[in-house]
Amino acid sequence: MTKEDWLLISGFYYVMITAVVNMLILLYELIEYLNDVSGKKQSGNSVLLLLVNIPVSIGYFYIFMNIV
């Protein structure tokens, strides 16, 4: 789309930072899910939604690598 170097570099760092933040939140929610002794297990939905972000981040990284 665009060959601006600053945009590619900032997009790459954005994807890497969001991937790390998503993994940290995923670990937190997974720990909450495993430690919840009640029958509700509300953290399970959050874990599933966060798992959707992993393929999206991989897709962005793949697109970035094909542009550069």
Side-chain angles (χ1 to χ4, degrees):
M1 292 190 203
T2 180
K3 298 293 182 181
E4 295 292 328
D5 290 337
W6 68 271
L7 188 59
L8 289 174
I9 293 170
S10 62
F12 175 75
Y13 285 123
Y14 174 75
V15 169
M16 291 299 118
I17 291 170
T18 56
V20 169
V21 169
N22 279 328
M23 292 302 268
L24 291 173
I25 294 172
L26 175 65
L27 288 174
Y28 173 77
E29 289 291 333
L30 190 58
I31 290 169
E32 286 292 319
Y33 177 75
L34 294 175
N35 288 334
D36 189 11
V37 292
S38 70
K40 291 185 179 181
K41 303 272 185 181
Q42 294 176 353
S43 297
N45 291 336
S46 298
V47 170
L48 291 175
L49 288 174
L50 285 168
L51 285 175
V52 172
N53 286 327
I54 294 171
V56 171
S57 295
I58 292 170
Y60 284 145
F61 184 72
Y62 177 77
I63 290 169
F64 175 77
M65 294 309 287
N66 282 334
I67 289 175
V68 174

